[in-house]
Amino acid sequence: MVNASQHAPGQRAHIIFQTLSENDTHCVQFSYFLYSRDGHSPGTLGVYVRVNGGPLGSAVWNMTGSHGRQWHQAELAVSTFWPNEYQVLFEALISPDHKGYIGLDDILLFSYPCAKAPHFSRLGDVEVNAGQNASFQCMAAGRAAEAEHFFLQRQSGVLVPAAGVRHISHRRFLATFPLASVGRSEQDLYRCVSQAPRGAGVSNFAELIVKEPPTPIAPPQLLRAGPTYLIIQLNTNSIIGDGPIVRKEIEYRMARGPWAEVHAVNLQTYKLWHLDPDTEYEISVLLTRPGDGGTGRPGPPLISRTKCAEPTRAPKGLAFAEIQARQLTLQWEPLGYNVTRCHTYAVSLCYRYTLGGSHNQTIRECVKMERGASRYTIKNLLPFRNIHVRLILTNPEGRKEGKEVTFQTDEDVPGGIAAESLTFTPLEDMIFLKWEEPQEPNGLITQYEISYQSIESSDPAVNVPGPRRTISKLRNETYHVFSNLHPGTTYLFSVRARTSKGFGQAALTEITTNISAPSFDYADMPSPLGESENTITVLLRPAQGRGAPISVYQVVVEEERPRRLRREPGAQDCFSVPLTFETALARGLVHYFGAELAASSLLEAMPFTVGDNQTYRGFWNPPLEPRKAYLIYFQAASHLKGETRLNCIRIARKAACKESKRPLEVSQRSEEMGLILGICAGGLAVLILLLGAIIVIIRKGRDRYAYSYYPKPVNMTKATVNYRQEKTHMMSAVDRSFTDQSTLQEDERLGLSFMDAPGYSPRGDQRSGGVTEASSLLGGSPRRPCGRKGSPYHTGQLHPAVRVADLLQHINQMKTAEGYGFKQEYESFFEGWDATKKKDKLKGGRQEPVSAYDRHHVKLHPMLADPDADYISANYIDIRINRQHHPRRLQQGLSSVVLAPAMLLGV
């Protein structure tokens, strides 16, 4: 509230509203009070809208005079958009009457359109060229009152009234503000303002941009002159006026004549065509910017003169007169003045061709012809090359290039294939050879010819030099696989290419095939020549060298083990590392080299004994263990130039004495039979005691015939110690078993003492003079005995029972073989049936005579491993022997039973 009577005229009171940024529609509503008692005006209430902190300018709304003693409401519609900001300022100006009151209240800011004041749409900038008319179009929304006044307000404060207001609809109208012939002085910010007692509307500020049409400062620059053209550069980088430049024009005329033409130009350089030779021209540049009246004044002119006329065309009629492989003769039409357009001219013949190869280099040459010449020969060319030729006519004023014509030189014999391009992969009986096309094919390759022959061989069976063979390949086949070659043989290869003119130079190379493994002349595994407990004799046949002579032969002995432990050398898995017997034993390996023979010592087939205890070139050939099975391999090796080829073949298999190593098995039916037979054991106890007494008497006299059936392999170095320990332990067990034999339980303990003693091997009475080490072979072979004599290894472990089907064979061997220790026992036993010899035997240390029909009981142990095993389940067997028919009775009595090996000693 301002009391005008308290202030001097011209004083001002301000209320400054906060700064606003309109993202949406704003409406400022306020109430004002203007009153004086005598009706005079207390002053003027004005509203200003300042944008972006700029000047206030003129008031967008004002009210003066006395309006009664009441409050009136007005609205201010502001259309200033983000990112611009605006600030509303209210001003009270004291009038000269300085009586009354000026009041302002209820200032409110709404985010919706005003109801009384119109809102202007966004006002855009207006750009015109200097001297042209400008016009602002103010679009408003709302209802315009009859007392509504529209102005175009300049930022400096000048108001321009509207030329007209056109109502588009009942709530939209358009106010137009024309500005005539504007210049630089009229360039400013303008906005639309509507004023009425009920309020005012204010638009955003838009700029009136006044541009000066451009004019070049410098004249155009001459780049090139010809007899009928001029090439100029516009030089429009420096101008007077404003851009942007939307059009460039060249205005040219003769120096002593009127202007002739105006050409529009799109680039900085321009060529003026169809000019007269040797004529002076004035050339200027016109620049135009957007809008009406945007073309400026012509720039400074360029004065230039055309030159003499250039040739009208290039020489014609270019053709060949003669074509050879390395030169080309050309000819063309003679040239006259009507073509050259000048008395001084030159004709150049230019040609190019490609050398080829990896870099694909291009040769370019130009030769200047003598005046008046129309024929020329190009020399030192390459055969079968495309030669690109053109003629060029030049004079001091220009040049004319003829069309390029292509000629091809004739073919020639091809160049040689590069030796370094020959690549090969040798194998044993074939060679893969690859080559590249000659670097100078000199034509179209039609064929490749490859010749080869053997020139050297390490195989004496190959004839060198061999016959020469030739192979032809097509032009696109630059490789070949040569098969059916000899191993270890050097071949000389020559490769050459051919064109229609003939063959070129050949490339030579020598290639040696790899040696092959020797071959053996064994159809199947041969039968051994002989076999004993510790040896096997095989037939060694010389191998055939393939590409290299045989260097050495080797005999390899491999112990036959189960498949998961046995080494199985295949066709390409021979024994490459020599192993002596001692090394193999130390490493726990199953194979060793028993002999190594020089190639010269095996020129023809010869027998060889494996296990003869000899040393062959540092390899000991130890005796074979009878209890083990062996595989005998024969191996041949060829060595040549750092290559080694091996071939091995199995030539024999030596089985153990008893090949069947089935463990002791008894089925459930055997257990049941054992129970039945056990009931009868008590009744036969006395006979068992008699049988034990007979065994003791016999063994005391025959210590050296003790044997062990089915021995377990032991280490040779520990044989003596093991034997002594086993003997002491087992003899104590035997003594204990014979001290108490009154009951069936004692009899069974006697049988178990034989079966359970570790490493048991009956050796006879300790009182005997000497002890002979015994061993038996695994799997009795009908071809050889398995006895004790000659065996270098210790054995001593009970093995599983003998099958019924094999029992007769073993009984025969025990009666006749020395190794079993049963032959003498068998013979002397039946000699005792003679009455006279009975007495002698009693004198010789036998404890008691034996009746011919004494019943002997053999203890059989049940086999628990396999309940379905095909073995009889009996605990005791009666063996009746008399002097007349004891062999038949023995065979018949034992043909359907299984005897425990420990109890056979008693028999």
Side-chain angles (χ1 to χ4, degrees):
M1 175 65 71
V2 175
N3 188 351
S5 62
Q6 297 177 359
H7 300 280
Q11 285 190 329
R12 301 173 187 269
H14 288 167
I15 291 180
I16 302 175
F17 209 54
Q18 64 183 6
T19 302
L20 299 173
S21 179
E22 182 180 3
N23 288 327
D24 202 347
T25 302
H26 278 182
C27 181
V28 180
Q29 188 182 90
F30 60 93
S31 298
Y32 65 92
F33 182 84
L34 286 174
Y35 174 70
S36 177
R37 291 179 181 178
D38 54 6
H40 294 88
S41 175
T44 302
L45 178 63
V47 179
Y48 297 85
V49 178
R50 179 167 54 188
V51 178
N52 297 332
L56 286 177
S58 301
V60 298
W61 181 87
N62 56 56
M63 187 62 66
T64 186
S66 178
H67 293 271
R69 194 174 180 176
Q70 60 183 358
W71 290 88
H72 302 275
Q73 192 180 67
E75 294 176 339
L76 179 63
V78 182
S79 298
T80 299
F81 304 96
W82 188 87
N84 297 319
E85 59 185 16
Y86 68 95
Q87 192 174 32
V88 179
L89 184 143
F90 296 92
E91 181 185 70
L93 177 63
I94 305 301
S95 68
D97 296 333
H98 57 88
K99 291 181 180 180
Y101 297 91
I102 303 174
L104 186 66
D105 198 3
D106 296 334
I107 302 174
L108 300 175
L109 177 66
F110 299 104
S111 59
Y112 51 80
C114 296
K116 300 175 182 179
H119 285 267
F120 288 100
S121 300
R122 184 186 296 271
L123 185 62
D125 296 341
V126 176
E127 180 178 315
V128 296
N129 295 312
Q132 303 298 312
N133 297 329
S135 176
F136 282 94
Q137 305 287 329
C138 298
M139 180 70 71
R143 293 183 179 180
E146 296 180 358
E148 200 89 34
H149 300 283
F150 294 93
F151 300 94
L152 184 65
Q153 187 185 67
R154 191 171 177 177
Q155 190 177 26
S156 61
V158 178
L159 294 177
V160 178
V165 177
R166 182 167 62 93
H167 290 269
I168 300 175
S169 65
H170 70 285
R171 291 192 57 83
R172 189 171 295 275
F173 52 89
L174 177 65
T176 304
F177 302 90
L179 301 176
S181 301
V182 296
R184 287 282 189 178
S185 60
E186 282 81 16
Q187 182 168 312
D188 201 351
L189 296 176
Y190 294 83
R191 66 182 174 185
C192 301
V193 177
S194 66
Q195 294 180 358
R198 61 181 184 178
V202 181
S203 72
N204 62 297
F205 273 114
E207 185 178 5
L208 174 61
I209 304 171
V210 181
K211 298 293 185 178
E212 192 71 29
T215 300
I217 297 177
Q221 181 181 355
L222 178 65
L223 298 180
R224 184 177 176 183
T228 59
Y229 67 89
L230 292 174
I231 299 177
I232 62 172
Q233 184 174 357
L234 274 60
N235 283 343
T236 57
N237 294 331
S238 299
I239 62 172
I240 299 173
D242 298 316
I245 299 174
V246 297
R247 186 171 68 252
K248 301 175 184 177
E249 296 174 310
I250 296 293
E251 187 179 46
Y252 66 97
R253 65 178 178 85
M254 292 182 180
R256 290 182 292 271
W259 289 100
E261 294 182 9
V262 175
H263 290 179
V265 180
N266 295 327
L267 302 175
Q268 288 294 324
T269 59
Y270 186 72
K271 184 175 183 179
L272 298 175
W273 295 88
H274 309 299
L275 303 181
D276 295 333
D278 198 19
T279 302
E280 190 174 74
Y281 287 88
E282 292 183 3
I283 305 170
S284 298
V285 176
L286 296 174
L287 301 178
T288 302
R289 68 173 313 279
D292 296 336
T295 302
R297 298 185 303 274
L302 166 67
I303 301 175
S304 181
R305 180 178 293 273
T306 57
K307 298 181 179 180
C308 294
E310 63 180 353
T312 57
R313 59 175 176 82
K316 293 182 178 181
L318 181 61
F320 69 91
E322 183 181 5
I323 294 181
Q324 297 182 11
R326 299 183 182 273
Q327 69 179 29
L328 177 64
T329 302
L330 301 175
Q331 62 184 14
W332 56 93
E333 67 173 1
L335 299 178
Y337 178 78
N338 58 337
V339 176
T340 61
R341 306 273 310 265
C342 190
H343 295 287
T344 303
Y345 67 93
V347 176
S348 298
L349 187 144
C350 296
Y351 61 94
R352 63 181 177 89
Y353 61 93
T354 303
L355 291 179
S358 58
H359 299 289
N360 206 20
Q361 183 180 359
T362 301
I363 301 298
R364 301 177 184 272
E365 293 287 344
C366 282
V367 181
K368 190 175 182 179
M369 302 290 100
E370 296 182 359
R371 184 169 180 174
S374 59
R375 187 183 179 94
Y376 183 76
T377 299
I378 306 174
K379 298 181 180 180
N380 300 323
L381 298 177
L382 295 178
F384 205 66
R385 286 290 191 277
N386 288 332
I387 312 299
H388 307 279
V389 186
R390 69 169 57 194
L391 289 172
I392 302 175
L393 174 61
T394 60
N395 62 17
E397 309 304 332
R399 60 186 277 148
K400 290 292 184 180
E401 296 186 2
K403 183 179 180 181
E404 189 174 71
V405 182
T406 301
F407 304 94
Q408 187 180 54
T409 55
D410 202 357
E411 288 187 304
D412 202 354
V413 294
I417 296 176
E420 56 271 13
S421 71
L422 298 178
T423 58
F424 54 86
T425 302
L427 300 175
E428 295 178 356
D429 58 351
M430 62 178 58
I431 293 176
F432 175 77
L433 179 62
K434 185 178 181 181
W435 60 91
E436 294 181 1
E437 184 181 276
Q439 295 183 356
E440 297 180 359
N442 296 336
L444 185 63
I445 300 297
T446 59
Q447 176 189 357
Y448 289 102
E449 183 183 83
I450 306 97
S451 299
Y452 67 100
Q453 71 175 140
S454 57
I455 59 174
E456 183 182 358
S457 180
S458 302
D459 191 347
V462 178
N463 295 326
V464 290
R468 190 171 189 85
R469 297 179 175 87
T470 302
I471 295 175
S472 296
K473 305 292 287 185
L474 299 178
R475 61 182 304 270
N476 57 348
E477 297 178 344
T478 57
Y479 62 90
H480 186 71
V481 178
F482 300 88
S483 57
N484 299 323
L485 303 181
H486 298 288
T489 302
T490 302
Y491 290 86
L492 176 63
F493 289 84
S494 67
V495 184
R496 61 178 182 172
R498 179 176 181 172
T499 64
S500 61
K501 297 295 183 179
F503 284 102
Q505 186 178 358
L508 302 178
T509 185
E510 294 182 2
I511 307 174
T512 303
T513 55
N514 299 334
I515 64 174
S516 296
S519 61
F520 288 104
D521 186 17
Y522 289 96
D524 296 317
M525 187 174 72
S527 301
L529 301 179
E531 186 175 357
S532 68
E533 295 182 0
N534 308 111
T535 63
I536 183 172
T537 302
V538 296
L539 181 64
L540 302 184
R541 297 178 180 176
Q544 179 66 36
R546 300 181 61 201
I550 305 299
S551 301
V552 68
Y553 293 99
Q554 294 151 338
V555 178
V556 184
V557 181
E558 181 182 31
E559 181 182 348
E560 189 174 15
R561 294 285 183 89
R563 181 172 298 276
R564 59 186 178 88
L565 299 176
R566 184 172 69 246
R567 183 184 187 276
E568 297 183 357
Q572 298 180 357
D573 187 15
C574 291
F575 306 88
S576 58
V577 180
L579 290 174
T580 63
F581 176 80
E582 294 81 0
T583 304
L585 188 63
R587 297 182 181 178
L589 302 177
V590 297
H591 73 278
Y592 62 90
F593 280 39
E596 183 173 276
L597 306 175
S600 58
S601 64
L602 188 61
L603 300 179
E604 59 183 12
M606 72 174 188
F608 180 81
T609 301
V610 180
D612 62 358
N613 203 24
Q614 301 295 325
T615 300
Y616 297 90
R617 299 182 70 173
F619 293 91
W620 179 38
N621 186 19
L624 304 179
E625 294 188 35
R627 59 187 175 81
K628 295 182 179 180
Y630 294 93
L631 301 176
I632 311 301
Y633 293 91
F634 185 39
Q635 178 169 285
S638 296
H639 306 287
L640 181 65
K641 297 179 181 180
E643 285 189 85
T644 300
R645 294 291 185 271
L646 299 175
N647 192 11
C648 56
I649 185 173
R650 195 173 81 179
I651 59 175
R653 177 182 180 273
K654 183 180 183 302
C657 275
K658 183 64 177 179
E659 294 183 356
S660 176
K661 299 183 180 180
R662 295 181 57 182
L664 185 61
E665 300 175 351
V666 178
S667 62
Q668 294 180 355
R669 292 178 298 176
S670 299
E671 295 179 1
E672 296 175 358
M673 182 64 69
L675 294 177
I676 298 173
L677 295 179
I679 299 175
C680 301
L684 300 178
V686 177
L687 296 179
I688 294 175
L689 294 178
L690 293 177
L691 178 62
I694 295 174
I695 294 172
V696 173
I697 294 173
I698 295 175
R699 290 179 59 187
K700 285 183 179 180
R702 302 182 183 277
D703 290 339
R704 62 189 182 92
Y705 295 113
Y707 74 99
S708 173
Y709 200 71
Y710 287 118
K712 177 181 179 181
V714 297
N715 194 328
M716 295 175 60
T717 59
K718 300 181 181 179
T720 306
V721 178
N722 292 341
Y723 165 72
R724 291 176 180 176
Q725 293 176 354
E726 294 167 1
K727 179 179 179 181
T728 304
H729 182 76
M730 294 306 302
M731 292 308 298
S732 63
V734 173
D735 292 340
R736 286 196 307 270
S737 65
F738 281 98
T739 56
D740 191 1
Q741 304 177 1
S742 60
T743 64
L744 177 62
Q745 180 179 2
E746 293 174 351
D747 179 67
E748 292 177 353
R749 184 170 61 252
L750 172 63
L752 293 176
S753 68
F754 282 93
M755 297 300 293
D756 298 338
Y760 169 65
S761 177
R763 303 285 182 174
D765 197 331
Q766 296 181 5
R767 293 175 297 175
S768 59
V771 178
T772 303
E773 298 178 352
S775 66
S776 64
L777 300 179
L778 296 178
S781 172
R783 295 178 299 174
R784 69 189 194 292
C786 294
R788 298 173 60 251
K789 294 183 180 181
S791 175
Y793 303 103
H794 294 281
T795 58
Q797 180 179 350
L798 295 179
H799 282 263
V802 180
R803 290 177 55 87
V804 174
D806 300 332
L807 183 61
L808 180 61
Q809 175 184 338
H810 283 273
I811 291 175
N812 293 332
Q813 290 185 5
M814 292 193 309
K815 292 188 299 183
T816 59
E818 296 289 344
Y820 280 94
F822 190 67
K823 176 181 180 183
Q824 294 83 355
E825 186 81 15
Y826 178 79
E827 294 174 353
S828 61
F829 181 81
F830 291 103
E831 291 176 359
W833 297 116
D834 187 86
T836 306
K837 294 182 179 181
K838 287 182 182 178
K839 298 179 180 180
D840 296 339
K841 289 186 177 292
L842 289 175
K843 294 178 181 181
R846 294 283 183 176
Q847 295 180 0
E848 59 180 343
V850 181
S851 174
Y853 283 89
D854 284 345
R855 182 181 300 274
H856 299 277
H857 298 276
V858 179
K859 182 66 168 19
L860 299 181
H861 295 276
M863 299 173 61
L864 303 179
D866 188 357
D868 298 327
D870 54 350
Y871 293 91
I872 189 169
S873 178
N875 288 339
Y876 296 92
I877 301 174
D878 290 346
I879 303 177
R880 300 178 182 272
I881 306 173
N882 61 20
R883 188 164 40 187
Q884 288 80 15
H885 53 277
H886 60 271
R888 183 181 301 239
R889 281 176 171 268
L890 182 62
Q891 296 176 6
Q892 294 176 353
L894 300 181
S895 61
S896 60
V897 299
V898 178
L899 300 183
M903 297 307 299
L904 287 176
L905 295 174
V907 181

